[in-house]
Amino acid sequence: MSHEEVLKKMLEDDPRDFISTGSEWSFDLVQEYDREIAKIAESYGLDTYPNQIEIISAEQMMDAYASVGMPVGYQHWSFGKQFVSIEKNYRRGQMGLAYEIVINSNPCIAYLMEENTMTMQALVIAHACYGHNSFFKGNYLFQTWTDASSIIDYLVFAKNYINTCEEKYGIDEVEQILDACHALMNHGVDRYKRPYPISAAEEKQRQKDREAMLQAQVNDLWRTIPKLGGSEKEIEQARFPAEPQENILYFLEKKAPLLEPWQREIVRIVRKISQYFYPQRQTQVMNEGWATFWHYTLLNDLYAQGKVTDGFMFEFLQSHSGVVFQPEFDSKYYSGINPYALGFAMFQDIKRICENPTEEDKRWFPDFAGSDWLATIKFAMQNFKDESFVQQFLSPKVMRDFKFFAILDDDQDKELEVSAIHDDEGYRRVREALSAQYNLSMNEPNIQVYDVDVRGSRAMTLRHFQHNRRPLADDSAQEVLKHLHTLWKFDVTLESVDNDKVTDTWHCPMPVANDEE
Amino acid sequence: MSYIVDRRLNGKNKSTVNRTRFLRRYKKHIKQAVSDAVNKRSITDLEHGESVSIPTKDISEPRFSHKKGGKREMVHPGNKDFVSGDRIRRPQGQGGSGSGEGEASNSGEGMDEFVFQITQDEFLEFLFEDLELPNLVKRQLAGIESFKMKRAGVVSTGNPSKINVIRSLRQATGRRVAFGASTKRRLREKEAELQAELEKDPILKDQSKVALLEEEVARLKRKVMSIPFIDDIDLRYNLHIKVPQPTSKAVMFCLMDVSGSMNQSMKDTAKRFFILLYLFLKRNYEKIEVVFIRHHTSAKEVDEQEFFYSRETGGTIVSSALKLMKEIMEDRYPANEWNIYGAQASDGDNWNDDSPLCKKLLVDDILPLVQYYSYIEINPRRHQALWREYETVAQEHGEVFAMQQIMDQSDIYPVFRELFQKRTTA
């Protein structure tokens, strides 16, 4: 047989049936890849919202970026600032754009960039439309805290409402309120209580009633006419709020004495959006790890079925290894632990522990070593957040692979101490430290509304409860306090407390005469 | 289950509003950057925007955050040779391996600048905000416009060079048909009668009638022949009318004293003023020419390089430059085609008996033809004769003439604004 005949025979014998061979994508091909990937995803029982795949241009991707991934956003200069800096970096070629953005909504919206090759589109479909999508639908935090079916409507409502306010009260007025709310955005979430579901239709209907009702409540709180009967002393002694309030924006929305109804509504909007994004901040490692695990699994299966070429796999693997690259601590590229890398490694490791457990694994994870891997990773995805996920599932093998070590930084000690490394004595300590690192309530200053002088000056006192004596950054604290003051409109004091001892205080407005100087 | 949507055709500038909001908020910074930039640019360098930098501190969005201190345990990857209990010296400065992420940005805050680009349009917009070139529309209001001839059909009067041959001949044909039709009809009748008469039997033929008819036919033939082939009334002429056309060309005369008393820093100051004027005209006219005239005791037209950087010494006779400007204007820039702007920079030195001559030249020959004439005196000292003469010009012709004194470079922009400030219509 001649060479050509051999080749021809090989091609005829080849069981492979490629979906495409070139790197150009088309709408038909995107559809076909999606269909194939969906089939595999279904065989694994991935439960997803319907997908809405939107093809956009690079400029549109920059727009999407700048509005922190909200498909509809109200207008604010800070988004413009974001856009300007992204634009600059992109134009200079300092930054590649993300391949995808995916939105926790129902249907789940995923953006694909038109510049991507076919391989990249397939990767993004697997990653976003089946990975992230199933995470949004399955994880308990998203189920409890966000309402995927109504978020888009709510954002539209918010945008229109703020637009109307700008027309009525002027851009500057609205901007001032938004600035103040943004400064307190991280303190606008209920960390433990489940919020009411949001719905644009109801929002609109109820909004008028709420305005009136809220104002009435506030008026009641600040009533200066003495109540008949009852001992006034008793009232005076009762602290208000009775329990310290961690959700500062909520407190302002409900209790600030001089806010206009529309201003309360804006506080509420920012608070709701902050609440919507809170689970994403709590599940970075898991969410990205899960999506990466699935794009890796799904595309490898596609290859095993003979649907994609070797060239496709090379391109995919190159991109994949870029995503899960973890620079070491002394590298100039190091900027903390890469959530993609850690999450991917952990999910892969859980699968390994289920399929081929070692003695060590059986000792560490008696519950699931050797069990069904698919059920185990789904259980992990559904019921944990980063903090608890690391605590429960980080195995010694992963710690060894990453060569994790913990550094204790104590300002009362002249030197840093290596408190634990990836060895038998250190595994638990490293794991605990890493878990704590993902605990948002420990990373963000714990600041609560502590007391309000209801009967007198209406001054508000906030308390920062220090964790391990970690102090607040002065400049930003003072600045945020100014913003808080624009909402509260009476004196605001912030005390930093370590073991019931006040170590630092800030005031707004600043005391006029300072005795110390 | 998946819907695929092509969104590429949707608008891409969703962020424009937010970008505008951002520019609006930091207007002050941007304006500062813009006026700094003007000082550095060459006079015709208009092709690009400008990068603006704002201190990060001014645009930060504050949040409560931790600073260094307290007790903190961090996990890092990539251990090489640490074992538990190792003690490490605290890394100095920011971004060290021990400090972890987050803190670097906190401690570094206020040091960096937030840098971004504004486009050329935005650059000029900020530069010329609130400014309006005076008398820009005045020309049209006063009816002094330049014209363009435009065809406007045909008319029956005009000069021979504009005869429209086709229309004239068509007119003539029509006239000949109209005038000759009845005669020709009668001619045909008579000829037919004659023919009938001639064909009759010779016995019946009436010779006198034949003669009569032949005479009639000959008469009618003469009559037809006498209709002229073309007549005065047939002539048609192409009509051209004048259409007023706003002038889109401007010429800018830069006049500068380069006598010994002007030093380089004074010239630099003058240059910046000319740049501003050039930028400003560029925005309003399609085509701009710049004429550089330098003078000491005699004036000379030069190129930009020589204008600003070559050195000469000598006394000062300002009128020489004005004379040259007048000549060039008459020669190359007729006032009906060009918007003429004059800008003169000097340190105020002039021979005393020359100043009245300057005034006369300005008032009689130059001001009537220009859109605007501005004079800046770069001189921290007392005014001299030229200033006083010009002051009287300013009083009499305030609408086209302006003068200002510049002490140092920081005065340029305010002075420029003052010169070309939007004038509220009285």
Side-chain angles (χ1 to χ4, degrees):
Chain A
M1 270 195 292
S2 75
H3 184 63
E4 280 79 28
E5 280 172 290
V6 175
L7 256 182
K8 205 174 160 204
K9 179 102 183 14
M10 271 174 67
L11 277 174
E12 276 164 8
D13 291 348
D14 196 344
R16 297 186 292 180
D17 173 24
F18 302 134
I19 302 173
S20 71
T21 48
S23 65
E24 289 297 309
W25 63 268
S26 69
F27 283 97
D28 290 338
L29 283 179
V30 168
Q31 194 122 40
E32 199 167 337
Y33 272 99
D34 175 67
R35 203 163 35 231
E36 293 299 333
I37 293 170
K39 258 190 242 163
I40 305 173
E42 211 187 321
S43 73
Y44 284 113
L46 286 184
D47 184 20
T48 59
Y49 295 121
N51 280 305
Q52 182 169 326
I53 299 171
E54 305 196 349
I55 311 281
I56 61 174
S57 64
E59 278 95 347
Q60 288 170 321
M61 186 56 105
M62 286 196 283
D63 285 338
Y65 244 69
S67 50
V68 281
M70 288 191 288
V72 192
Y74 53 84
Q75 295 164 4
H76 190 253
W77 66 270
S78 62
F79 304 133
K81 166 184 144 186
Q82 190 83 9
F83 179 75
V84 158
S85 81
I86 288 166
E87 194 185 24
K88 180 193 70 184
N89 290 337
Y90 181 64
R91 293 266 144 82
R92 284 196 192 155
Q94 284 175 352
M95 180 182 96
L97 291 172
Y99 303 118
E100 48 94 15
I101 282 184
V102 57
I103 289 158
N104 168 24
S105 60
N106 181 12
C108 179
I109 300 173
Y111 295 130
L112 306 194
M113 239 197 328
E114 66 172 334
E115 278 86 347
N116 292 351
T117 60
M118 189 60 244
T119 307
M120 290 310 297
Q121 306 293 33
L123 168 60
V124 170
I125 291 171
H127 183 90
C129 304
Y130 297 92
H132 283 306
N133 187 345
S134 58
F135 193 87
F136 290 148
K137 195 169 181 191
N139 183 268
Y140 83 104
L141 281 174
F142 286 86
Q143 283 180 344
T144 334
W145 299 83
T146 69
D147 192 347
S149 60
S150 67
I151 183 64
I152 302 286
D153 288 347
Y154 187 76
L155 290 175
V156 171
F157 158 78
K159 182 186 165 116
N160 292 340
Y161 188 83
I162 287 177
N163 256 346
T164 319
C165 286
E166 282 177 347
E167 277 165 26
K168 270 196 207 162
Y169 309 104
I171 293 175
D172 293 320
E173 283 285 311
V174 176
E175 193 171 278
Q176 200 189 5
I177 299 291
L178 279 176
D179 284 354
C181 294
H182 284 188
L184 294 162
M185 204 163 181
N186 289 348
H187 301 271
V189 286
D190 292 317
R191 287 174 206 270
Y192 307 107
K193 200 172 64 186
R194 193 217 185 290
Y196 295 107
I198 46 177
S199 135
E202 286 171 40
E203 276 306 303
K204 246 181 244 162
Q205 266 178 10
R206 286 212 214 119
Q207 189 219 315
K208 278 244 156 59
D209 307 343
R210 192 167 59 230
E211 277 181 8
M213 195 179 72
L214 271 177
Q215 198 57 48
Q217 281 177 356
V218 173
N219 292 346
D220 214 37
L221 175 64
W222 300 104
R223 192 185 300 281
T224 45
I225 304 165
K227 275 184 189 154
L228 289 174
S231 114
E232 258 188 53
K233 265 194 184 153
E234 242 172 67
I235 301 163
E236 268 175 30
Q237 275 160 3
R239 209 153 50 79
F240 180 84
E243 292 289 324
Q245 294 280 327
E246 56 160 3
N247 191 337
I248 300 175
L249 281 184
Y250 179 82
F251 186 80
L252 289 169
E253 180 198 332
K254 301 294 179 197
K255 314 286 188 206
L258 294 181
L259 283 186
E260 302 281 336
W262 64 270
Q263 292 171 326
R264 286 181 210 284
E265 192 62 38
I266 289 181
V267 175
R268 183 182 170 85
I269 286 169
V270 174
R271 186 168 71 76
K272 290 281 173 193
I273 290 173
S274 175
Q275 188 82 65
Y276 168 77
F277 282 116
Y278 189 56
Q280 309 210 0
R281 292 164 52 215
Q282 285 175 298
T283 55
Q284 250 202 324
V285 171
M286 285 180 76
N287 202 341
E288 295 303 352
W290 176 260
T292 307
F293 174 84
W294 280 111
H295 80 227
Y296 185 78
T297 308
L298 295 174
L299 291 189
N300 268 309
D301 284 8
L302 213 55
Y303 180 66
Q305 292 179 4
K307 294 242 163 59
V308 295
T309 63
D310 294 350
F312 178 100
M313 282 313 273
F314 277 124
E315 192 187 343
F316 154 64
L317 285 172
Q318 191 199 7
S319 172
H320 172 77
S321 45
V323 166
V324 298
F325 175 63
Q326 174 64 66
E328 304 195 328
F329 77 98
D330 49 1
S331 152
K332 66 173 176 170
Y333 300 111
Y334 181 64
S335 63
I337 294 167
N338 176 356
Y340 292 82
L342 180 61
F344 177 66
M346 284 180 68
F347 277 112
Q348 285 286 51
D349 192 55
I350 295 171
K351 186 178 171 192
R352 181 193 61 80
I353 293 170
C354 291
E355 287 179 336
N356 305 301
T358 61
E359 279 312 308
E360 182 186 50
D361 297 327
K362 284 180 188 151
R363 236 179 320 118
W364 280 72
F365 304 106
D367 291 353
F368 66 86
S371 69
D372 175 29
W373 69 268
L374 192 56
T376 310
I377 63 164
K378 276 188 189 165
F379 172 77
M381 176 274 277
Q382 283 161 356
N383 298 296
F384 295 87
K385 56 183 169 185
D386 283 351
E387 180 193 350
S388 52
F389 179 63
V390 167
Q391 185 69 282
Q392 294 293 319
F393 293 98
L394 185 65
S395 73
K397 171 153 193 316
V398 172
M399 284 186 258
R400 281 195 300 270
D401 289 349
F402 275 83
K403 303 203 182 84
F404 278 138
F405 63 103
I407 293 276
L408 185 66
D409 179 359
D410 188 336
D411 61 351
Q412 291 172 346
D413 190 341
K414 270 197 216 111
E415 293 173 321
L416 302 176
E417 190 191 333
V418 178
S419 50
I421 67 161
H422 44 92
D423 57 12
D424 280 336
E425 297 85 61
Y427 289 139
R428 279 182 203 284
R429 175 106 189 235
V430 168
R431 187 159 80 173
E432 217 157 282
L434 190 60
S435 160
Q437 215 162 302
Y438 288 109
N439 182 351
L440 281 187
S441 51
M442 238 184 255
N443 280 335
E444 284 167 3
N446 175 10
I447 293 173
Q448 310 198 354
V449 180
Y450 184 70
D451 189 24
V452 170
D453 185 358
V454 188
R455 301 292 143 193
S457 66
R458 299 184 174 181
M460 176 196 266
T461 307
L462 299 150
R463 280 203 160 178
H464 167 229
F465 297 97
Q466 291 174 20
H467 176 71
N468 285 335
R469 293 182 284 101
R470 294 193 62 197
L472 273 184
D474 297 284
D475 293 358
S476 58
Q478 189 62 47
E479 286 302 308
V480 179
L481 228 51
K482 271 188 213 158
H483 284 305
L484 188 56
H485 183 255
T486 54
L487 293 175
W488 185 249
K489 296 184 199 300
F490 294 96
D491 290 8
V492 181
T493 305
L494 171 62
E495 300 171 340
S496 189
V497 181
D498 181 30
N499 286 330
D500 287 335
K501 214 176 80 217
V502 176
T503 57
D504 226 338
T505 52
W506 293 266
H507 298 280
C508 187
M510 300 260 246
V512 186
N514 201 334
D515 296 353
E516 290 161 31
E517 286 185 286
Chain B
M1 275 298 265
S2 302
Y3 313 95
I4 299 173
V5 190
D6 186 0
R7 284 262 187 255
R8 287 171 298 177
L9 297 177
N10 287 28
K12 63 180 175 188
N13 293 323
K14 231 160 80 181
S15 297
T16 313
V17 190
N18 290 326
R19 190 169 191 279
T20 317
R21 287 284 165 86
F22 175 70
L23 296 184
R24 176 177 172 273
R25 190 177 165 106
Y26 293 101
K27 214 174 190 168
K28 224 175 63 195
H29 294 90
I30 297 168
K31 276 197 167 165
Q32 186 56 47
V34 165
S35 47
D36 286 350
V38 166
N39 284 350
K40 289 180 219 138
R41 290 191 174 197
S42 149
I43 193 162
T44 45
D45 177 15
L46 287 168
E47 298 313 308
H48 53 83
E50 185 57 45
S51 79
V52 176
S53 73
I54 300 176
T56 312
K57 195 166 68 71
D58 291 4
I59 60 168
S60 70
E61 296 165 79
R63 303 276 155 92
F64 284 126
S65 59
H66 287 125
K67 67 176 174 187
K68 261 197 167 110
K71 204 168 104 183
R72 189 173 183 205
E73 197 165 25
M74 291 287 290
V75 176
H76 298 285
N79 183 19
K80 305 265 174 351
D81 42 18
F82 295 139
V83 291
S84 318
D86 272 1
R87 300 184 70 77
I88 312 163
R89 199 143 4 101
R90 214 176 277 280
Q92 295 301 311
Q94 55 177 353
S97 56
S99 65
E101 50 178 337
E103 280 181 15
S105 68
N106 283 346
S107 50
E109 203 176 74
M111 295 300 171
D112 347 321
E113 300 261 301
F114 181 83
V115 183
F116 64 98
Q117 287 281 329
I118 54 173
T119 63
Q120 180 202 357
D121 277 352
E122 282 163 342
F123 176 80
L124 296 177
E125 204 63 59
F126 276 105
L127 185 60
F128 296 126
E129 207 187 35
D130 302 333
L131 266 71
E132 191 180 302
L133 203 55
N135 303 336
L136 196 63
V137 284
K138 199 183 136 224
R139 221 177 234 274
Q140 277 153 0
L141 292 177
I144 324 165
E145 287 171 326
S146 68
F147 296 99
K148 189 177 157 193
M149 299 307 282
K150 199 183 154 197
R151 292 184 61 160
V154 286
V155 285
S156 52
T157 55
N159 75 49
S161 68
K162 289 196 170 175
I163 285 180
N164 184 326
V165 177
I166 294 172
R167 289 291 293 269
S168 299
L169 288 180
R170 191 192 294 165
Q171 203 71 24
T173 313
R175 178 184 49 80
R176 289 199 308 271
V177 170
F179 282 173
S182 65
T183 321
K184 279 181 176 167
R185 193 177 59 240
R186 275 178 42 217
L187 179 63
R188 275 199 300 279
E189 284 168 12
K190 293 294 170 193
E191 273 175 342
E193 237 175 276
L194 181 62
Q195 194 61 36
E197 199 63 40
L198 285 177
E199 279 167 13
K200 277 182 180 169
D201 194 79
I203 304 158
L204 295 172
K205 208 183 281 179
D206 180 350
Q207 284 301 332
S208 63
K209 194 177 178 186
V210 170
L212 210 64
L213 282 170
E214 274 176 343
E215 194 183 325
E216 182 69 13
V217 167
R219 191 185 66 82
L220 287 171
K221 274 190 177 161
R222 272 199 310 278
K223 196 172 176 187
V224 169
M225 287 303 290
S226 71
I227 297 173
F229 177 76
I230 194 155
D231 200 350
D232 274 354
I233 55 165
D234 298 331
L235 294 181
R236 291 296 178 269
Y237 302 87
N238 289 325
L239 176 65
H240 287 90
I241 54 164
K242 280 177 162 181
V243 180
Q245 201 187 23
T247 313
S248 57
K249 295 189 288 189
V251 59
M252 168 178 156
F253 283 88
C254 299
L255 280 64
M256 187 165 67
D257 180 2
V258 291
S259 64
S261 51
M262 282 286 277
N263 59 32
Q264 191 59 44
S265 86
M266 283 171 164
K267 284 191 208 167
D268 280 351
T269 309
K271 177 188 174 186
R272 297 201 164 109
F273 181 77
F274 293 139
I275 288 176
L276 275 174
L277 185 59
Y278 180 81
L279 280 166
F280 192 48
L281 294 177
K282 185 91 183 166
R283 194 134 172 78
N284 288 293
Y285 295 102
E286 277 173 31
K287 188 183 166 198
I288 299 177
E289 290 193 6
V290 186
V291 176
F292 297 100
I293 299 173
R294 45 187 275 151
H295 71 88
H296 38 94
T297 48
S298 66
K300 194 171 145 200
E301 188 186 349
V302 293
D303 64 17
E304 185 180 346
Q305 186 62 27
E306 198 178 336
F307 185 71
F308 288 116
Y309 299 111
S310 102
R311 299 190 62 87
E312 272 178 62
T313 52
T316 315
I317 298 179
V318 176
S319 65
S320 64
L322 295 177
K323 245 181 235 154
L324 183 60
M325 175 176 173
K326 181 192 153 204
E327 282 165 26
I328 294 173
M329 267 160 59
E330 283 169 354
D331 199 23
R332 286 160 29 200
Y333 302 104
N336 58 348
E337 280 176 32
W338 293 83
N339 289 294
I340 302 171
Y341 291 83
Q344 181 186 358
S346 153
D347 61 354
D349 267 355
N350 196 14
W351 284 10
N352 270 353
D353 48 358
D354 184 52
S355 295
L357 183 60
C358 290
K359 179 184 170 184
K360 189 171 172 304
L361 273 168
L362 264 180
V363 173
D364 293 348
D365 297 323
I366 294 179
L367 291 186
L369 298 178
V370 299
Q371 298 294 306
Y372 205 66
Y373 192 94
S374 59
Y375 170 66
I376 52 163
E377 190 164 305
I378 308 158
N379 180 4
R381 291 159 308 178
R382 206 164 52 79
H383 300 305
Q384 297 182 31
L386 187 63
W387 179 269
R388 285 191 291 276
E389 282 296 336
Y390 275 10
E391 263 181 339
T392 62
V393 178
Q395 272 164 19
E396 292 160 22
H397 298 89
E399 69 284 359
V400 289
F401 184 85
M403 55 195 290
Q404 281 291 338
Q405 187 180 17
I406 291 178
M407 302 289 191
D408 65 48
Q409 298 203 352
S410 62
D411 284 342
I412 300 176
Y413 191 50
V415 163
F416 182 79
R417 287 184 70 103
E418 184 120 333
L419 283 178
F420 294 107
Q421 213 155 38
K422 258 187 190 164
R423 304 193 172 192
T424 44
T425 40

